[in-house]
Amino acid sequence: MNVHALPVRLRTAVGGNTSRHPSKTAVQDPRWPQIEAALSALRTNGRHAVRIVDAQCGAGTLLLHALAEARRLGFTAIEGHGIDRSPLLIGRARSVAHRVVDPAIGLEFEAADMVTALLDEQDLPADIVICHDPARARQPDARLALCKAGRIVIDDQAGSHDRDIAA
């Protein structure tokens, strides 16, 4: 199917927007270059599937654009999991997520405490975990939970913890 033949609203939902960066919010986020680099490295290493967790996802904008970027890079199995403490923001994220119509993208948003939700991720760590600075969240267990929940952890400082990008 040629996504460029779809109406603009649907092209955006499946990640087929002709603009490389459809959101100013994503482009201006200090984590975006690290997210792009991590996705590119995974794809260069032959990966076709990727799992991304956004702890403290808010309304899900950054996660949605990361999933669209993964699709643009050629990933064929993409899973996104957004976590935020605010039910209102998760409601907004779920509302936008209903427009994602690409069968290669699985997406879930959960209203939960970040550390508690990340503990559930430890059995099958994500490829990439996106978060805000856990020290500012005043959760001492957050850094450990983040490191165990994902192979690559990208925080507000645009720093990352990288366990094994080729895995």
Side-chain angles (χ1 to χ4, degrees), residues 20-102:
R20 182 178 161 115
H21 300 292
S23 167
K24 283 185 178 183
T25 303
V27 173
Q28 293 172 351
D29 193 297
R31 299 168 292 180
W32 185 251
Q34 290 287 335
I35 294 167
E36 283 184 308
L39 287 169
S40 292
L42 288 167
R43 192 68 186 102
T44 298
N45 286 323
R47 294 286 302 276
H48 295 281
V50 66
R51 188 161 172 266
I52 304 170
V53 172
D54 188 349
Q56 302 169 322
C57 68
T61 303
L62 189 60
L63 177 59
L64 289 165
H65 289 290
L67 299 177
E69 178 68 5
R71 189 64 169 131
R72 189 192 69 75
L73 290 171
F75 285 93
T76 56
I78 304 162
E79 183 181 339
H81 182 193
I83 304 163
D84 199 281
R85 192 178 271 276
S86 169
L88 177 65
L89 291 174
I90 289 297
R92 289 181 187 169
R94 287 176 179 157
S95 176
V96 173
H98 287 298
R99 294 192 307 238
V100 177
V101 294
D102 189 326

Side-chain angles (χ1 to χ4, degrees), residues 67-152:
L67 299 177
E69 178 68 5
R71 189 64 169 131
R72 189 192 69 75
L73 290 171
F75 285 93
T76 56
I78 304 162
E79 183 181 339
H81 182 193
I83 304 163
D84 199 281
R85 192 178 271 276
S86 169
L88 177 65
L89 291 174
I90 289 297
R92 289 181 187 169
R94 287 176 179 157
S95 176
V96 173
H98 287 298
R99 294 192 307 238
V100 177
V101 294
D102 189 326
I105 299 175
L107 183 56
E108 173 191 11
F109 286 100
E110 173 185 11
D113 173 69
M114 179 183 78
V115 174
T116 303
L118 289 174
L119 290 173
D120 292 338
E121 297 288 335
Q122 293 179 15
D123 291 337
L124 182 60
D127 297 297
I128 300 170
V129 175
I130 306 165
C131 68
H132 289 295
D133 185 12
R136 286 196 305 187
R138 301 182 198 275
Q139 297 179 354
D141 302 339
R143 177 57 60 189
L144 181 60
L146 285 164
C147 289
K148 289 184 175 184
R151 291 181 177 87
I152 302 166

